[in-house]
Amino acid sequence: MRKSTIRILTACAVGALGLTACGDDGGGGDGGATTIKLVAADYGDKASNASKVYWDDVVKRFEAKNKDIKVDVQVINWNDIDTKVKTMIQGGNVPDILQTGGYADKVADDLLYEADEVLSPKTKSNLIESFAKAGEVDGTQYGIPFVSSARLMFYNKEVLDKAGVEVPQSWDDVAAAAQKIKDKKAAEIPYALPLGPEETQGESMIWEIGNGGGYTDAEGNYTIDSAQNVETFEWLKENLVDPGLTYENPATTDRKTAFADFAAGKVGMLNGHPTLIQMAKDGGVDYEVAPIPGKDGPLDSTLGVADWMMAFKDGGKQEEIKKFLDFAYSKENTLKFDEMYNLMPVTTDTLEEMQSSGKHKDLEPFFEVLPAAQFYPLGSTSWDVVSAEIKKSGGKAVSDDPSKVLGELQQKAEDTAADMGE
C-alpha cells in the first residue's frame, strides 16, 4: 500500500450561527504521499464548539492510528459551503470527502463513490435503516447520513391549561383547542403555522404526512397536487387560517419567527425540532412535546431531516477514504459530535447509547420517532429546484385556491424533472 499524507488545511469561515473561525493554510504532504481532503460544514456558534475543533481532534486520533494517512480539513460556514464546493469542483479542486446538506446533484454528475465502496459492511449496517434508505438514488446509496433531526408537536402547558384543553390527537382536536385558546385569550397565536420561504417545504410535508400524502409516490413521481395534499391545505385554510387561529399570513411567516414567538410565550402549539428545546427553556416556557396530530389521530411517523457525508471518485483514494470514514463513524466520534451540538444520531449504536445514558431526557421523544421518519425526495436530482419553488409559493395554498397553487407547483416539478432526465 502506498504511503499517503493528509495535511491539515483550515480556512477563515463564518460558522453556521455566526462564528468566524480562522486557521493556517497547510502546505503539501510529507514524503511524496497522497493527500485526502475533507470539506465540512461548521455547526458551531462560538470558538469552543466550532466544528474545526471537533474535526481536528478526530484527525489527530485517526493519524495516530494510521501513520501512513493524514487528513486535510477545510471547515466552511453553512451559508457559503455549497457555492464554494461548486467552485472547487468547477476548478478541478475536488474534495475527497464532503459533509454538507445534500448529495443528489453530485450523483447526477457521476462524481461520487457508492456508499458500499467507501464504508465497511460493519459501518454501513450500523446506519439507521430509514436514513440509509434516504441516501439512495435509484436504489443505490451514495449519500451517507451524518446527523439528523425529527419533528414533534410542541405545546405550552400553561396555555393549554388556561384554555382547559387536552393535548390534541387529531386535526379536529388541533382546531378545537386553538379555538378555545383564542376564546380564552390564553395565547396571542393559538397555533403557529409557518409557511414562509424559510422552510415551507418542511411544514407542508408534516401536514401532508398526516393525511397520507407527500411530495412523491412509491415510484418517485411528484404528487404535489394529489387529492390528499389539496385536501390538507383546504383543511388548514378553512380550520386554522380563515378563523384567525394562526398568523394572519402564514405564507410570509418563517419558522424562526414561530420559534421565537413560542419561546416568548406567545404561541400555544406548533411543530418543532430539538433546537426549540433550549429556546423554550431560555424563555422560561413550560413546554411539552407530543406526536404530530394527523387527520384521524397521532402519527407514528414524522418528518426526518439529515445532513450528509459523501465521497468523490476524482482522486482515486478509495481505500484511504474508507479507513477514515470507518473511523469517523465509530460510536466514540459520532456520539461526541451529536452531544456537542445536541443533534440526533444516524447510527444505531449511538442512538442506543443516547437513549440509555439518561443524559438526553429532552431528546427521548425524538429518539422514539427517528427510525420511522419520512424524508424529502432527496434522491431526486430535481428536488433542490422543486424545493426552492415550494419555498417561494407553497405557502399561498392556505390563502389562495389550494388546487391552483399546488397544480402550478406540480407542473413546475414535472417540467424540472423532465429537463433533468428523470
Side-chain angles (χ1 to χ4, degrees), residues 73-343:
V73 181
Q74 183 174 356
V75 176
I76 304 175
N77 75 302
W78 273 109
N79 292 334
D80 297 334
I81 189 166
D82 289 338
T83 300
K84 289 193 174 184
V85 168
K86 184 177 182 179
T87 300
M88 289 178 191
I89 293 171
Q90 290 174 341
N93 182 26
V94 182
D96 297 297
I97 306 171
L98 171 65
Q99 187 276 303
T100 187
Y103 62 86
D105 56 331
K106 317 296 188 304
V107 179
D109 293 333
D110 193 29
L111 297 176
L112 303 182
Y113 282 113
E114 297 177 12
D116 281 336
E117 296 175 311
V118 289
L119 295 179
S120 69
K122 179 181 179 182
T123 298
K124 188 168 184 289
S125 65
N126 189 37
L127 297 172
I128 295 173
E129 184 177 1
S130 59
F131 284 86
K133 189 77 175 173
E136 293 182 358
V137 176
D138 296 330
T140 300
Q141 185 184 350
Y142 296 90
I144 305 166
F146 182 64
V147 290
S148 66
S149 179
R151 304 294 198 265
L152 288 172
M153 185 182 74
F154 284 70
Y155 61 93
N156 185 316
K157 292 199 295 182
E158 182 179 344
V159 169
L160 265 62
D161 288 345
K162 185 176 180 181
V165 297
E166 300 293 326
V167 180
Q169 304 285 304
S170 67
W171 286 1
D172 287 346
D173 291 345
V174 170
Q179 186 63 56
K180 288 185 177 179
I181 291 171
K182 181 180 182 181
D183 293 344
K184 295 287 184 67
K185 296 182 171 56
E188 183 178 324
I189 303 143
Y191 189 95
L193 183 68
L195 290 170
E198 181 186 1
E199 206 192 32
T200 319
Q201 84 289 357
E203 185 70 19
S204 297
M205 186 169 167
I206 293 170
W207 286 93
E208 290 167 359
I209 290 172
N211 196 25
Y215 291 124
T216 57
D217 60 20
E219 287 72 43
N221 301 306
Y222 283 106
T223 56
I224 296 172
D225 66 344
S226 69
Q228 298 101 311
N229 291 349
V230 171
E231 182 185 42
T232 295
F233 282 94
E234 287 175 343
W235 188 92
L236 289 169
K237 183 176 187 297
E238 293 169 7
N239 293 276
L240 291 182
V241 180
D242 290 349
L245 302 179
T246 185
Y247 293 105
E248 182 176 351
N249 189 355
T252 60
T253 305
D254 282 335
R255 183 187 65 189
K256 63 183 178 183
T257 299
F259 278 22
D261 286 343
F262 185 81
K266 298 178 181 179
V267 168
M269 304 169 285
L270 81 169
N271 295 323
H273 55 65
T275 301
L276 186 52
I277 292 173
Q278 193 59 49
M279 292 179 65
K281 288 181 177 180
D282 291 345
V285 174
D286 186 12
Y287 78 95
E288 288 286 353
V289 298
I292 301 287
K295 180 183 178 183
D296 300 315
L299 300 181
D300 57 8
S301 181
T302 185
L303 173 64
V305 179
D307 294 332
W308 302 91
M309 189 82 76
M310 63 214 75
F312 289 77
K313 299 186 290 186
D314 186 72
K317 303 160 193 171
Q318 180 182 356
E319 290 306 313
E320 291 87 349
I321 291 170
K322 190 172 187 177
K323 281 191 174 183
F324 181 73
L325 289 179
D326 280 345
F327 182 82
Y329 276 82
S330 66
K331 185 171 73 170
E332 176 186 5
N333 292 319
T334 56
L335 180 63
K336 181 177 180 179
F337 193 90
D338 294 336
E339 291 188 333
M340 187 172 182
Y341 298 110
N342 202 36
L343 290 167

Side-chain angles (χ1 to χ4, degrees), residues 382-421:
S382 61
W383 171 243
D384 283 349
V385 176
V386 173
S387 177
E389 291 293 335
I390 294 171
K391 290 178 181 180
K392 191 185 304 181
S393 62
K396 295 177 181 177
V398 294
S399 55
D400 298 340
D401 176 8
S403 181
K404 179 176 182 292
V405 173
L406 298 184
E408 291 173 351
L409 286 170
Q410 175 71 20
Q411 188 61 56
K412 289 178 181 179
E414 291 177 358
D415 292 346
T416 301
D419 289 345
M420 294 186 170

Side-chain angles (χ1 to χ4, degrees), residues 37-95:
K37 182 174 182 177
L38 165 66
V39 174
D42 194 346
Y43 291 73
D45 62 349
K46 50 185 177 289
S48 61
N49 73 350
S51 293
K52 180 185 179 299
V53 175
Y54 170 81
W55 285 115
D56 282 352
D57 174 66
V58 171
V59 166
K60 181 179 179 180
R61 289 182 287 107
F62 173 77
E63 291 176 349
K65 294 183 177 181
N66 298 271
K67 301 297 185 182
D68 56 345
I69 306 178
K70 296 193 180 292
V71 185
D72 161 0
V73 181
Q74 183 174 356
V75 176
I76 304 175
N77 75 302
W78 273 109
N79 292 334
D80 297 334
I81 189 166
D82 289 338
T83 300
K84 289 193 174 184
V85 168
K86 184 177 182 179
T87 300
M88 289 178 191
I89 293 171
Q90 290 174 341
N93 182 26
V94 182

Side-chain angles (χ1 to χ4, degrees), residues 337-357:
F337 193 90
D338 294 336
E339 291 188 333
M340 187 172 182
Y341 298 110
N342 202 36
L343 290 167
M344 307 287 284
V346 296
T347 53
T348 56
D349 58 359
T350 301
L351 175 59
E352 290 167 0
E353 175 71 23
M354 293 180 76
Q355 283 178 309
S356 62
S357 68

